[in-house]
Amino acid sequence: DVLKTMFRLSAAEGGKQQFTQRTTNALTVQEIFDALQTTDSGSDPMTRDTLLRYMQILSNDSVGMVGRVSQGSSAPSGSTQYVVNVANIIRFLRERTMHSILTERYHEEENEATNGVCARIYQVLLHAKYAEQNQVADLAMIPMKEARIH
Protein backbone atom coordinates (compact mmCIF):
# COMPACT_ATOMS: atom_id res chain seq x y z
CA ASP A 1 0.00 0.00 0.00
CA VAL A 2 2.89 2.37 0.71
CA LEU A 3 4.38 2.18 -2.80
CA LYS A 4 0.95 2.35 -4.39
CA THR A 5 0.19 5.50 -2.39
CA MET A 6 3.53 7.04 -3.35
CA PHE A 7 2.82 6.38 -7.05
CA ARG A 8 -0.69 7.79 -6.72
CA LEU A 9 0.55 10.97 -5.02
CA SER A 10 3.30 11.46 -7.59
CA ALA A 11 0.88 10.95 -10.46
CA ALA A 12 -1.45 13.55 -8.96
CA GLU A 13 1.43 16.04 -8.68
CA GLY A 14 3.28 15.37 -11.92
CA GLY A 15 0.87 13.74 -14.33
CA LYS A 16 1.71 10.91 -16.72
CA GLN A 17 5.09 12.34 -17.72
CA GLN A 18 6.25 11.67 -14.16
CA PHE A 19 6.66 7.95 -14.86
CA THR A 20 9.00 8.51 -17.79
CA GLN A 21 11.56 9.89 -15.34
CA ARG A 22 13.97 7.79 -13.29
CA THR A 23 12.30 8.70 -9.99
CA THR A 24 8.96 10.04 -8.82
CA ASN A 25 8.47 13.35 -7.06
CA ALA A 26 9.93 13.56 -3.55
CA LEU A 27 7.32 13.03 -0.83
CA THR A 28 7.57 13.57 2.91
CA VAL A 29 6.55 10.92 5.40
CA GLN A 30 3.73 13.21 6.52
CA GLU A 31 2.32 13.44 2.97
CA ILE A 32 2.43 9.65 2.62
CA PHE A 33 0.96 9.15 6.09
CA ASP A 34 -1.93 11.56 5.42
CA ALA A 35 -2.72 9.87 2.10
CA LEU A 36 -2.66 6.42 3.71
CA GLN A 37 -5.09 7.59 6.40
CA THR A 38 -7.59 8.91 3.84
CA THR A 39 -7.46 5.77 1.66
CA ASP A 40 -7.48 3.24 4.51
CA SER A 41 -10.23 0.73 3.72
CA GLY A 42 -11.52 -0.66 6.98
CA SER A 43 -8.29 -2.26 8.20
CA ASP A 44 -6.35 -1.03 11.20
CA PRO A 45 -4.82 2.34 10.30
CA MET A 46 -1.06 2.44 9.99
CA THR A 47 0.73 4.41 12.68
CA ARG A 48 3.34 6.99 11.84
CA ASP A 49 6.04 4.90 13.57
CA THR A 50 5.11 1.87 11.47
CA LEU A 51 5.29 3.97 8.31
CA LEU A 52 8.72 5.30 9.32
CA ARG A 53 9.94 1.71 9.81
CA TYR A 54 8.52 0.70 6.42
CA MET A 55 10.22 3.64 4.75
CA GLN A 56 13.53 2.77 6.41
CA ILE A 57 13.26 -0.86 5.26
CA LEU A 58 12.26 0.13 1.72
CA SER A 59 15.07 2.69 1.43
CA ASN A 60 17.67 0.16 2.64
CA ASP A 61 16.44 -2.64 0.35
CA SER A 62 19.04 -4.06 -2.06
CA VAL A 63 16.77 -3.40 -5.07
CA GLY A 64 16.65 0.31 -4.26
CA MET A 65 12.92 0.72 -4.94
CA VAL A 66 12.68 3.70 -2.61
CA GLY A 67 15.37 6.31 -2.12
CA ARG A 68 15.83 8.78 0.69
CA VAL A 69 16.37 12.38 -0.40
CA SER A 70 18.92 14.09 1.81
CA GLN A 71 17.58 17.04 3.74
CA GLY A 72 20.74 17.85 5.67
CA SER A 73 21.52 17.21 9.32
CA SER A 74 19.46 20.14 10.63
CA ALA A 75 16.14 18.89 9.20
CA PRO A 76 13.79 17.08 11.58
CA SER A 77 13.29 13.37 10.91
CA GLY A 78 9.69 13.89 9.82
CA SER A 79 10.74 16.12 6.94
CA THR A 80 12.87 13.46 5.25
CA GLN A 81 11.66 12.99 1.69
CA TYR A 82 11.46 9.76 -0.27
CA VAL A 83 11.24 8.96 -3.99
CA VAL A 84 10.29 5.78 -5.83
CA ASN A 85 13.19 4.75 -8.09
CA VAL A 86 11.26 3.64 -11.16
CA ALA A 87 14.46 2.85 -13.08
CA ASN A 88 15.68 0.49 -10.35
CA ILE A 89 12.34 -1.32 -10.26
CA ILE A 90 12.36 -1.78 -14.05
CA ARG A 91 16.01 -2.96 -13.99
CA PHE A 92 15.24 -5.48 -11.23
CA LEU A 93 12.18 -6.84 -13.05
CA ARG A 94 14.13 -7.13 -16.31
CA GLU A 95 16.97 -9.05 -14.61
CA ARG A 96 14.63 -11.40 -12.73
CA THR A 97 12.57 -12.06 -15.87
CA MET A 98 15.67 -12.93 -17.88
CA HIS A 99 16.91 -15.20 -15.08
CA SER A 100 13.52 -16.98 -14.99
CA ILE A 101 13.48 -17.43 -18.77
CA LEU A 102 16.97 -18.93 -18.75
CA THR A 103 16.15 -21.22 -15.85
CA GLU A 104 12.87 -22.42 -17.41
CA ARG A 105 14.14 -22.81 -20.95
CA TYR A 106 17.34 -24.68 -20.21
CA HIS A 107 16.10 -26.65 -17.22
CA GLU A 108 14.43 -29.23 -19.48
CA GLU A 109 17.31 -29.56 -21.93
CA GLU A 110 20.13 -29.87 -19.40
CA ASN A 111 20.77 -32.86 -17.21
CA GLU A 112 20.48 -32.49 -13.44
CA ALA A 113 24.25 -32.16 -12.94
CA THR A 114 24.44 -28.94 -14.99
CA ASN A 115 21.02 -27.51 -14.13
CA GLY A 116 21.10 -23.73 -13.88
CA VAL A 117 24.44 -23.18 -15.62
CA CYS A 118 23.03 -20.63 -18.09
CA ALA A 119 21.36 -18.67 -15.31
CA ARG A 120 24.60 -18.66 -13.28
CA ILE A 121 26.60 -17.46 -16.28
CA TYR A 122 24.01 -14.72 -16.84
CA GLN A 123 24.36 -13.58 -13.20
CA VAL A 124 28.16 -13.52 -13.47
CA LEU A 125 28.09 -11.46 -16.65
CA LEU A 126 25.44 -9.17 -15.21
CA HIS A 127 27.66 -8.26 -12.28
CA ALA A 128 31.07 -8.43 -13.98
CA LYS A 129 29.88 -6.68 -17.20
CA TYR A 130 32.76 -8.31 -19.09
CA ALA A 131 34.79 -11.40 -18.26
CA GLU A 132 37.02 -13.91 -20.00
CA GLN A 133 35.89 -17.55 -20.26
CA ASN A 134 38.16 -18.68 -17.45
CA GLN A 135 36.87 -15.88 -15.19
CA VAL A 136 33.26 -16.81 -15.98
CA ALA A 137 33.97 -20.45 -15.19
CA ASP A 138 35.63 -19.54 -11.89
CA LEU A 139 32.96 -17.08 -10.80
CA ALA A 140 30.05 -19.34 -11.82
CA MET A 141 31.80 -22.33 -10.23
CA ILE A 142 31.50 -24.47 -13.35
CA PRO A 143 34.08 -26.46 -15.32
CA MET A 144 35.77 -24.61 -18.19
CA LYS A 145 34.20 -27.07 -20.65
CA GLU A 146 30.71 -26.07 -19.50
CA ALA A 147 31.57 -22.37 -19.80
CA ARG A 148 32.63 -22.88 -23.43
CA ILE A 149 29.48 -24.82 -24.31
CA HIS A 150 27.12 -22.21 -22.94
Side-chain angles (χ1 to χ4, degrees), residues 3-130:
L3 281 176
K4 183 169 77 172
T5 300
M6 290 178 74
F7 274 120
R8 188 173 45 78
L9 289 172
S10 290
E13 289 179 14
K16 289 184 180 180
Q17 77 278 3
Q18 179 64 38
F19 299 110
T20 60
Q21 298 176 0
R22 295 182 56 81
T23 62
T24 60
N25 293 336
L27 300 166
T28 65
V29 172
Q30 189 61 47
E31 290 172 317
I32 300 166
F33 181 73
D34 291 343
L36 284 169
Q37 299 307 308
T38 60
T39 60
D40 197 9
S41 57
S43 62
D44 291 336
M46 183 182 296
T47 65
R48 186 174 165 81
D49 289 337
T50 303
L51 177 60
L52 285 170
R53 284 194 302 267
Y54 277 157
M55 297 310 291
Q56 184 177 13
I57 290 169
L58 286 170
S59 64
N60 291 330
D61 182 61
S62 63
V63 176
M65 288 188 286
V66 174
R68 187 179 302 133
V69 179
S70 177
Q71 292 295 314
S73 59
S74 63
S77 62
S79 68
T80 302
Q81 293 184 323
Y82 294 90
V83 294
V84 177
N85 292 312
V86 178
N88 289 358
I89 294 171
I90 292 170
R91 178 189 47 78
F92 175 75
L93 291 173
R94 186 176 50 232
E95 290 171 6
R96 294 307 305 164
T97 301
M98 186 64 175
H99 187 272
S100 293
I101 290 169
L102 290 170
T103 301
E104 285 291 319
R105 182 169 184 180
Y106 294 105
H107 176 73
E108 297 169 2
E109 297 175 14
E110 297 180 10
N111 63 35
E112 290 301 316
T114 60
N115 189 18
V117 170
C118 291
R120 285 202 313 261
I121 290 173
Y122 171 72
Q123 287 297 324
V124 166
L125 292 175
L126 187 65
H127 294 291
K129 303 291 184 222
Y130 175 80

Side-chain angles (χ1 to χ4, degrees), residues 135-150:
Q135 292 172 318
V136 171
D138 289 343
L139 293 171
M141 296 186 288
I142 58 174
M144 179 63 90
K145 181 180 175 183
E146 289 293 321
R148 281 192 208 113
I149 291 171
H150 298 286

